[in-house]
Amino acid sequence: MFDGKFRVHVDKYVRPVGVTLTRTRITPDHLTVDGLLFSIAAAVAIGAGYLRLGLLLVVAAALPDMLDGALAKASNVSSQRGAFFDSTIDRVTDSFMLGGVAWYLADTRGGTAAVLPFAVMSVSSLISYQRAKAESLGLQAKGGLMERAERIVILCVGLLFDSGLYWVMWLMLVLVAATAVQRFVKIWRQAAVAPSTAERLDARRSRRASRRAAFADRRARLGARRRDG
């Protein structure tokens, strides 16, 4: 939801920071790794019961994740490898932070409560998989109540209140489950009217073959003209 409605406004303010960072030796991958390290520190702090410190570290982990894309664009180093690395590390950082919450809830409310963050993590992974699979099929799957940005915001709210974190996890679980259903319906409807993957692949191969044949024909004609000349 934030990604669709506020991304343009956020990029407007983040872009100049990315331009400034190009004057340093920092790369987008460095920022991604920094975010991972902050998330590990956040997990330890939350698990140990230092929720306010954990909140600050969660915010610190989110900032590099917001800036790495701006730096990649400003320095003209955007790549598939970088996008894959960033997306993978996002999943790892989420796992660490929710693992810290599980650790904290296990200490304060018992082992049953610790299952909640792992349930959130599982459904969140389903949401990410739905998007990845849909895009591999040429469909669009962004949007929903609880994308990654919303999950981070709600986690931060939960870390403000010691006794409220448990109930925030319940709220997050309900919302991520609703998002998974939203995305399923959205993709299902698109797939019902979209051409099949096999048909798209065949059409793509046919276009490539036509371009190769046309190129070979042009070369043959050019060679014939040179011989005639």
Side-chain angles (χ1 to χ4, degrees), residues 1 123 127 130 141 143-147 151 172-185:
M1 186 168 63
V123 183
I127 292 171
Q130 287 174 320
L145 287 172
M146 287 290 288
E147 295 183 288
R151 295 197 295 270
M172 193 182 299
L173 179 59
V174 171
L175 292 177
V176 293
T179 303
V181 173
Q182 279 183 308
R183 285 201 173 179
F184 181 87
V185 172

Side-chain angles (χ1 to χ4, degrees), residues 64-77:
D65 183 54
M66 185 170 59
L67 294 174
D68 56 5
L71 177 57
K73 292 176 182 177
S75 55
N76 265 338
V77 294

Side-chain angles (χ1 to χ4, degrees), residues 114-189:
V115 175
L116 266 177
F118 290 110
V120 171
M121 191 187 311
S122 299
V123 183
S124 299
S125 297
L126 173 60
I127 292 171
S128 299
Y129 172 78
Q130 287 174 320
R131 176 174 173 178
K133 185 62 178 179
E135 290 179 350
S136 74
L137 297 173
L139 305 176
Q140 198 274 331
K142 289 184 179 181
L145 287 172
M146 287 290 288
E147 295 183 288
R148 187 168 185 266
E150 289 87 349
R151 295 197 295 270
I152 296 297
V153 170
I154 289 188
L155 174 60
C156 288
V157 172
L159 293 174
L160 287 172
F161 310 99
D162 295 7
S163 60
L165 186 56
Y166 173 75
W167 299 108
V168 165
M169 284 295 105
W170 269 113
L171 174 63
M172 193 182 299
L173 179 59
V174 171
L175 292 177
V176 293
T179 303
V181 173
Q182 279 183 308
R183 285 201 173 179
F184 181 87
V185 172
K186 181 176 183 177
I187 297 166
W188 187 265
R189 288 175 175 171

Side-chain angles (χ1 to χ4, degrees), residues 27 49 84 107 114 124 133 160 163 171-172 177 193 202 227-228:
T27 68
F84 168 75
D107 281 345
S124 299
K133 185 62 178 179
L160 287 172
S163 60
L171 174 63
M172 193 182 299
V193 297
D202 287 342
R227 286 194 299 270
D228 292 342

